[in-house]
Amino acid sequence: MVSTTSQAILLVDGYNIIGTWSSLKKIKDNHGLEQARNSLIESMVNYTGYKALEAKIVFDAHYQKSPSYQEKVGKSVLVHYTSYTETADTYIEKFCASFPRRNPETDTRIIVATSDQAQRHTVVGYGAEWLSAQGLAKEIDSTKTKERQNFRSRQKSQGRFLFNSLDTKTQKVLTQMRFGINS
């Protein structure tokens, strides 16, 4: 999943985020952990699509004796479930520790989203950036607001005619054709 074309890779400590965001806690309490995970994943798919970055959401095995596995969700989100013997913190720390050695020629940034302070100090020590769970929530909310505003302004500016959605140069050429003006 990790490519050198992305400018940033966002590593998300899944259960830490679920335990920190009040909206996800409420979903977990009312509808279960799986629904909270799905809601977080959906938020990250939308966010990464708009921000043009890659994300890896890491979940602990959560008391299940299963091997680790990954699944790709959307274009730029990878969901990783650790094995029974590994925590999300350990996985994220190993990823941060080994990333520069695997990709010395890239200037790709690693951003870790968690509110675990011990995790914060460790990953920053490896050269990664840190983003709190609340900071990530604000980023996602801000992105949603910008996306809605851009959508509304596009709708208003286009009017009801296809002509209004064309760039100025194309509009000019079509107007000249309509009136039989040769340029």
Side-chain angles (χ1 to χ4, degrees):
M1 148 104 188
V2 177
S3 73
T4 56
T5 58
S6 177
Q7 294 300 316
I9 299 168
L10 177 63
L11 294 173
V12 179
D13 186 343
Y15 290 129
N16 182 276
I17 300 296
I18 289 172
T20 306
W21 290 4
S22 60
S23 61
L24 292 178
K25 276 197 278 190
K26 190 180 287 186
I27 291 171
K28 182 185 89 172
D29 293 343
N30 294 334
H31 304 287
L33 192 55
E34 184 174 352
Q35 192 65 33
R37 277 193 306 260
N38 290 338
S39 184
L40 173 60
I41 292 167
E42 183 180 331
S43 292
M44 294 309 303
V45 167
N46 294 333
Y47 175 70
T48 58
Y50 190 81
K51 287 293 206 177
L53 56 85
E54 295 180 24
K56 185 178 262 199
I57 307 170
V58 183
F59 293 107
D60 296 306
H62 210 66
Y63 311 115
Q64 296 184 21
K65 291 188 178 189
S66 57
S68 69
Y69 71 97
Q70 301 185 110
E71 60 182 279
K72 190 166 183 167
V73 181
K75 184 179 171 186
S76 58
V77 174
L78 188 68
V79 179
H80 182 87
Y81 298 90
T82 66
S83 66
Y84 177 69
T85 59
E86 185 176 42
T87 66
D89 290 358
T90 304
Y91 179 87
I92 290 169
E93 289 167 11
K94 285 180 184 177
F95 186 92
C96 292
S98 66
F99 187 78
R101 288 192 299 277
R102 287 187 307 190
N103 299 296
E105 72 284 349
T106 184
D107 60 350
T108 301
R109 298 168 30 228
I110 298 176
I111 305 164
V112 177
T114 183
S115 285
D116 181 327
Q117 292 302 311
Q119 176 86 349
R120 170 189 179 183
H121 294 296
T122 302
V123 299
V124 168
Y126 288 126
E129 297 171 36
W130 171 76
L131 182 63
S132 70
Q134 293 307 324
L136 179 60
K138 287 178 185 174
E139 279 278 318
I140 290 173
D141 288 342
S142 172
T143 301
K144 285 178 186 176
T145 302
K146 288 177 189 173
E147 193 174 349
R148 274 189 235 114
Q149 289 170 345
N150 288 341
F151 181 73
R152 279 192 219 120
S153 68
R154 282 194 312 265
Q155 278 185 321
K156 289 177 184 175
S157 67
Q158 291 180 0
R160 66 180 203 156
F161 298 107
L162 176 62
F163 181 83
N164 295 330
S165 66
L166 300 173
D167 62 271
T168 309
K169 184 179 177 183
T170 305
Q171 287 179 347
K172 183 178 178 182
V173 170
L174 287 174
T175 301
Q176 289 174 342
M177 288 173 58
R178 191 169 106 209
F179 292 112
I181 301 170
N182 295 329
S183 51

